[in-house]
Amino acid sequence: MLTKKQIQLLEFIHKRMARDGVPPSFDEMKDALDLRSKSGIHRLVTALEERGFIRRLPHRARALEIVRLPDALSGLAAPDPKPKDSEYHGGGFRPRVISNDRPARPRGAVSIVDSPAVELPLMGRIAAGVPIEAISEISHHISVPGTMLSGRDHHYALEVRGDSMIEAGINDGDVVVIREQDIADNGDIIVALIEGHEATLKRYRRKGAMIALEAANPAYETRILPEESVRIQGRLVGLIRSY
C-alpha cells in the first residue's frame, strides 16, 4: 500500500521519463511535490525502492528506473526501457541515444540498417559547462538516422564539451543533433549564443525580460541574462554517443 505522496512521486517520475527519457532531478521532484527539502524525496524514493516499484542504478546520473506501477497508475503506459531513436513530443525532448562501438568510424557516426541515413554538418564543439567561443565552421559531416530529424527543417550537429548537462543524459564527448530555430519553450535544451560570441548548451527559461540558462548539474550555477544578450540558435532533438 503506497501513500498519496509516494504515488504522486512515482507518477511524476513516470511522466518525466516518458517525456524526456531520463528521470527528473531531486530538486525537480521536490518542487513538483511541494516539499521543503530533498530529504523528503530521498525518503520517498527509498520507500518506493523497498516496495519494488523503482530501482536505483549505480554509477549513473539520475539513476532511477521504474520497475512496475501500482494499480492506481495502471492506466499509464510503461516507459520504453530500450529507446531506439530520437523523438520530440510536444512536452519536450526525449533523448534517444544512438550507440556506436565501431572504432574505425569517426566519433558520432552511426549506421542504422532500417532507417535512411542523413549527412549532417558537424559545426564544431559546444560547451556544456562554461561557455566557449562559438565555432561555426564545418569540420566534417556525420551520418544520423533520418528518424532523428523533424520534417524539412535544417539540422546540424555539435560535439559536447563539459559536464554541466549530465543529469539531462548529455555527457562530455556526446554529439548532439540540433534543429535550427530562433525561438524556444521553457524547459527546452537549446544552443544559446551569448553576447554574440560565446556558445553554450543549456536548458532555457524565460523570466520576464530575462533569460535563465540552467545547467543539469548542481556544480554549475544558473546564468540569468538580459534577453538581448541571448540569441537562440537551435533546439536539441537528438543525441549520438560513441563507446
Side-chain angles (χ1 to χ4, degrees):
M1 184 73 177
L2 297 181
T3 66
K4 182 178 179 181
K5 283 293 187 183
Q6 290 167 356
I7 291 175
Q8 288 176 344
L9 179 60
L10 190 59
E11 182 178 14
F12 179 65
I13 295 172
H14 177 276
K15 288 181 176 179
R16 285 296 298 271
M17 290 183 69
R19 192 192 80 176
D20 297 341
V22 292
S25 68
F26 275 47
D27 281 320
E28 291 169 328
M29 296 181 205
K30 175 178 68 70
D31 293 342
L33 271 67
D34 197 25
L35 297 179
R36 293 186 177 181
S37 70
K38 289 189 286 187
S39 61
I41 294 297
H42 282 282
R43 287 193 294 271
L44 291 171
V45 168
T46 298
L48 289 171
E49 184 179 29
E50 290 174 348
R51 288 161 175 77
F53 289 97
I54 64 174
R55 176 166 51 236
R56 278 187 267 206
L57 306 176
H59 312 302
R60 286 176 54 184
R62 297 196 187 191
L64 294 179
E65 179 181 71
I66 293 179
V67 178
R68 62 189 179 94
L69 295 172
D71 292 340
L73 301 178
S74 58
L76 298 177
D80 182 3
K82 296 181 179 179
K84 296 180 181 178
D85 54 27
S86 244
E87 298 175 357
Y88 178 78
H89 296 265
F93 171 64
R94 179 186 300 175
R96 304 286 197 174
V97 180
I98 304 298
S99 300
N100 171 39
D101 57 2
R102 299 182 181 182
R105 293 179 178 270
R107 177 180 292 276
V110 297
S111 178
I112 305 297
V113 174
D114 58 353
S115 176
V118 177
E119 293 287 316
L120 287 186
L122 185 67
M123 303 296 291
R125 294 174 177 174
I126 184 76
V130 179
I132 57 176
E133 188 171 348
I135 300 175
S136 58
E137 295 183 0
I138 299 173
S139 59
H140 62 275
H141 286 73
I142 64 170
S143 297
V144 304
T147 53
M148 184 176 284
L149 311 181
S150 51
R152 297 182 179 180
D153 297 322
H154 183 259
H155 296 76
Y156 58 93
L158 293 164
E159 185 177 357
V160 174
R161 278 289 172 259
D163 61 356
S164 76
M165 298 302 289
I166 57 172
E167 290 196 1
I170 303 169
N171 298 333
D172 180 59
D174 287 346
V175 172
V176 290
V177 177
I178 305 297
R179 186 175 79 181
E180 189 173 328
Q181 60 185 67
D182 58 7
I183 59 173
D185 295 326
N186 281 341
D188 285 347
I189 297 175
I190 65 163
V191 173
L193 187 65
I194 300 173
E195 297 180 347
H197 66 276
E198 291 181 330
T200 189
L201 186 73
K202 291 291 183 292
R203 195 175 297 278
Y204 171 90
R205 305 277 183 194
R206 173 176 284 277
K207 300 181 179 180
M210 306 296 285
I211 302 297
L213 299 176
E214 298 178 351
N217 182 335
Y220 294 84
E221 295 183 354
T222 296
R223 295 188 66 182
I224 300 180
L225 301 160
E227 60 180 342
E228 61 269 18
S229 298
V230 179
R231 191 168 79 228
I232 299 168
Q233 293 196 309
R235 177 174 59 79
L236 177 66
V237 297
L239 177 71
I240 301 170
R241 178 167 300 154
S242 296
Y243 294 95

